[in-house]
Amino acid sequence: MLDLLLTKDMDGVAGLWAEHGTAEFPFAAGASPQRLAGREEVRDYLAGYPELMDVRAIPAVTVHHTERPDTIVVEFTAHGRTVRTGESYQLDYATVITVRDGLITHYRDYWNPLAAASAAGTLPELLDSLRSRAAR
């Protein structure tokens, strides 16, 4: 999956999902979804990613095996360039992945929405969204 991300093959990344597999982002904020249901929602979500973030390297990857043979925890760091601003970034991720028959059935990604928005050049929009939500 990380190799496909580096080559910006988002369709290939989505193809790793089981038809009814899910992706969850427990820390998502603002306009980012907290849950995607099914391969096609994952595909739609990933479609515009290369226009936001230019991932250039994933220098650190640690895989933790669990007591469940179908589940791993992966920690990784991504380095790249923000397309909107041209600024470089580094983002850290911790992801829990469950597979069946070689396809992802459940993907839970713990990433920092403030760091991601800052890297993407959208931090002011995220903060405005959070302020307006808090005002309700």
Side-chain angles (χ1 to χ4, degrees), residues 43-112:
R43 187 180 318 281
D44 290 346
Y45 173 76
L46 293 172
Y49 192 79
E51 286 78 42
L52 297 173
M53 309 295 274
D54 178 13
V55 181
R56 296 190 171 182
I58 300 174
V61 179
T62 303
V63 177
H64 302 279
H65 296 276
T66 69
E67 292 182 11
R68 294 180 51 186
D70 63 346
T71 302
I72 59 172
V73 176
V74 181
E75 295 178 84
F76 64 96
T77 299
H79 292 184
R81 181 183 64 82
T82 302
V83 174
R84 180 176 178 179
T85 66
E87 298 289 322
S88 61
Y89 71 85
Q90 173 181 315
L91 293 173
D92 299 311
Y93 301 83
T95 305
V96 181
I97 304 170
T98 302
V99 299
R100 184 179 317 130
D101 299 326
L103 296 173
I104 298 169
T105 57
H106 191 231
Y107 181 92
R108 194 168 45 249
D109 194 352
Y110 295 93
W111 50 272
N112 181 335

Side-chain angles (χ1 to χ4, degrees), residues 5 13-14 18 21-22 28 75 85 99 105 108 125 128-130 134:
L5 183 63
V13 173
T22 59
E75 295 178 84
T85 66
V99 299
T105 57
R108 194 168 45 249
E125 292 92 332
D128 287 345
S129 167
L130 294 173

